[in-house]
Amino acid sequence: MTSTVSRTFLQTTAVRVCAAAAAGALLLSGCTNEGTSKESSGSGGEAAQAADSAGSSGPTCTMEDYGAEKVEIDGAKVGFSQSEPDSASFRAAETQSLKDAAADAGADLVVTNANNELPKQISDIENLLSQDIDILVIAPVNSDGLDSALSAAKEKKVPVVTIDRKVTNDSCDDYLTFIGSDFVKQGERAADALANATDSKAKVAVLLGPSGNNVTDGRQKGFKDKVKADYPDIEIVAEQTANASRSEGQEVTAQLLQSNPDIDAVYAFNDEEGLGAMAAIQEAGKEPGSDVKIVSIDGTKNAVEAIVAGNYNAVIESNPRFGPLVFDTLSKFYGGEEIPEDIIIKDGEYTPDNAEEQVGQAF
């Protein structure tokens, strides 16, 4: 069972998983996009080579430590609680990746969608557990608030893997592992990209993401700390949430441009906010990408196409294709290997230098 899943994983993704016995830890690293080599990844070969190394951190957990019973992945019933509607490109790619990887592994995937509502996600998880799932994968709505759902899974001895947002609960007790990006590092890299686009001198509006999750906190902290440490001539003149929404990104940016007409750069939590900012800048009679630089995080096709058109300046990739790594990790877990608390994937970057060549790899 383990070898079959691992072969499938290696054939369908460029997310690289490297096992090393270092103080008993399992070291895992992921590359950029599923179905590509490192040289032809979603952010371009050179960008992928230059990206910071991915890996793992935190204490490890075995099947015995977790108190789980052995499950054969081939034939297993796996529940996936998605946090937000698949109308968002990131969520659509994420859900499809889980579906594809489950099919490759021979597992039956049952998908629910919380529509960005925490009470619904709790109800969804309880419903999945009532269907006697063997494994639970959660893309959390918030980092906090899933205590009762996680307790219910624990009572049924159903291992929980969280993806893209980390919960504040205890690993190897309330959940097995978190698989996702280094969000602080994403913010730092966005600061570097914005500095590159502005010659390290700008008045920046920061569009924040939804409150209550580690993604927003990390991307904000990484950006602000990096600016403060390395770019004294970049001034953050405004910060306001736009809730990862294109319409709110447009509305908030329009307001900020009116109250701060000297803004000449925007750092957006995600591409949807950034694309909304692009529209607002155009409506204000300015040229996005030129008069007002834009840097965001995600890797959606619309944003990468905007770079190609000259209306956008950079996108730090946040890889949504977790499926193969999720199932490979589960295979290792049930094979008796130690699984780290955090498994950090490797994200690339889209710039004017590689966007046209690599737009086809965006999601």
Side-chain angles (χ1 to χ4, degrees):
M1 177 271 295
T2 300
S3 61
T4 300
V5 176
S6 297
R7 284 197 301 272
T8 300
F9 170 75
L10 290 171
Q11 291 168 350
T12 58
T13 182
V15 178
R16 297 187 175 183
V17 182
C18 305
L26 175 69
L27 298 182
L28 301 175
S29 67
C31 201
T32 50
N33 284 330
E34 177 183 348
T36 61
S37 69
K38 189 171 184 180
E39 287 71 30
S40 61
S41 65
S43 57
E46 292 183 2
Q49 296 279 2
D52 292 338
S53 297
S56 63
S57 63
T60 60
C61 186
T62 65
M63 187 167 59
E64 183 179 1
D65 295 334
Y66 198 82
E69 298 175 356
K70 187 173 179 62
V71 170
E72 294 295 332
I73 303 286
D74 189 354
K77 191 172 186 178
V78 181
F80 174 44
S81 174
Q82 175 60 279
S83 59
E84 299 171 21
D86 282 351
S87 55
S89 298
F90 183 96
R91 298 300 168 186
E94 182 178 63
T95 299
Q96 190 60 51
S97 178
L98 265 294
K99 289 179 178 179
D100 292 344
D104 288 340
D108 176 22
L109 188 73
V110 183
V111 180
T112 62
N113 196 300
N115 291 316
N116 210 25
E117 299 175 8
L118 182 60
K120 186 176 186 308
Q121 183 159 57
I122 294 171
S123 176
D124 286 347
I125 291 171
E126 291 172 347
N127 181 262
L128 288 170
L129 292 169
S130 73
Q131 297 179 51
D132 295 326
I133 58 172
D134 300 301
I135 300 159
L136 177 61
V137 181
I138 306 175
V141 171
N142 290 329
S143 294
D144 295 311
L146 284 175
D147 304 55
S148 62
L150 294 174
S151 294
K154 181 178 179 180
E155 185 175 348
K156 285 182 171 285
K157 297 184 178 180
V158 174
V160 177
V161 174
T162 67
I163 59 174
D164 81 61
R165 287 176 184 166
K166 185 175 181 178
V167 294
T168 55
N169 303 76
D170 296 327
S171 65
C172 204
D173 186 16
D174 301 313
Y175 70 99
L176 172 61
T177 188
F178 160 73
I179 301 176
S181 297
D182 184 331
F183 305 115
V184 172
K185 181 63 67 177
Q186 287 180 339
E188 292 173 350
R189 294 174 62 206
D192 289 336
L194 190 138
N196 184 61
T198 62
D199 293 327
S200 301
K201 185 175 183 179
K203 294 185 181 298
V204 185
V206 175
L207 304 183
L208 302 173
S211 61
N213 67 78
N214 68 315
V215 185
T216 294
D217 295 343
R219 290 177 181 176
Q220 179 186 22
K221 174 179 172 55
F223 183 83
K224 293 179 69 174
D225 288 354
K226 185 70 170 178
V227 166
K228 183 178 179 180
D230 293 347
Y231 304 114
D233 292 327
I234 293 180
E235 179 185 358
I236 298 173
V237 298
E239 291 181 77
Q240 190 169 329
T241 185
N243 287 310
S245 162
R246 188 179 304 198
S247 60
E248 289 193 45
Q250 183 172 352
E251 180 181 348
V252 169
T253 302
Q255 294 171 351
L256 294 178
L257 287 173
Q258 287 182 346
S259 58
N260 300 274
D262 55 348
I263 286 173
D264 56 10
V266 171
Y267 163 52
F269 164 83
N270 72 344
D271 290 354
E272 287 299 302
E273 290 184 355
L275 291 166
M278 184 179 75
I281 292 163
Q282 290 170 325
E283 288 181 351
K286 299 184 178 184
E287 292 291 332
S290 179
D291 297 330
V292 183
K293 313 291 187 180
I294 307 172
V295 173
S296 62
I297 300 174
D298 256 353
T300 63
K301 186 164 290 187
N302 287 340
V304 179
E305 288 173 341
I307 296 176
V308 176
N311 296 322
Y312 224 87
N313 302 91
V315 173
I316 306 303
E317 181 190 48
S318 192
N319 188 351
R321 297 177 173 98
F322 297 101
L325 186 52
V326 166
F327 280 90
D328 191 77
T329 299
L330 289 168
S331 174
K332 292 178 184 298
F333 175 66
Y334 287 118
E337 296 188 32
E338 296 179 335
I339 305 302
E341 177 180 353
D342 298 326
I343 300 172
I344 306 303
I345 65 173
K346 187 174 184 180
D347 298 316
E349 182 173 344
Y350 294 94
T351 70
D353 293 332
N354 65 24
E356 185 171 6
E357 178 186 356
Q358 299 298 331
V359 65
Q361 299 298 329
F363 57 86

